[in-house]
Amino acid sequence: MPKYLIEREIPGAGALTPQDLQAISQKSCAVLSNMSPRVQWLESYVTDDKVYCVYIAPDEAAVRAHAEQGEFPANRISRIKTVIDPTAAE
């Protein structure tokens, strides 16, 4: 199944408390439980004003459906074509 990178513009994201992040995570997981196994959340990266999430989903529409149901922004959704790391240089 394809992987997607979701860019979510959330002003002040880097200042969210652990409790805030837990509540957001719980809401996301609740929405995903109704979509499973169609959509899987792998991980997210929190920066100052954005959150970048990696998901596995059958298509972009499924990612958008998760965002809409959870009331999360999904400002940009990009399909990940390839993953590289330092071992790619070998």
Side-chain angles (χ1 to χ4, degrees):
M1 209 170 334
K3 280 186 185 176
Y4 292 89
L5 179 67
I6 301 97
E7 180 180 310
R8 305 182 192 280
E9 293 181 15
I10 304 173
L16 291 170
T17 67
Q19 294 79 15
D20 294 333
L21 294 171
Q22 180 182 34
I24 292 167
S25 298
Q26 289 171 340
K27 185 173 186 181
S28 179
C29 289
V31 172
L32 288 170
S33 70
N34 294 326
M35 302 180 83
S36 243
R38 290 190 28 202
V39 179
Q40 295 177 352
W41 172 29
L42 297 182
E43 59 191 349
S44 295
Y45 303 90
V46 180
T47 65
D48 287 338
D49 293 313
K50 293 183 183 181
V51 177
Y52 297 89
C53 304
V54 180
Y55 279 67
I56 296 174
D59 52 40
E60 185 177 325
V63 175
R64 288 209 180 277
H66 170 264
E68 290 170 8
Q69 290 175 35
E71 300 176 343
F72 305 117
N75 303 92
R76 172 181 261 170
I77 299 172
S78 302
R79 184 172 175 176
I80 298 170
K81 298 292 186 173
T82 304
V83 176
I84 61 171
D85 61 26
T87 62
E90 297 174 0

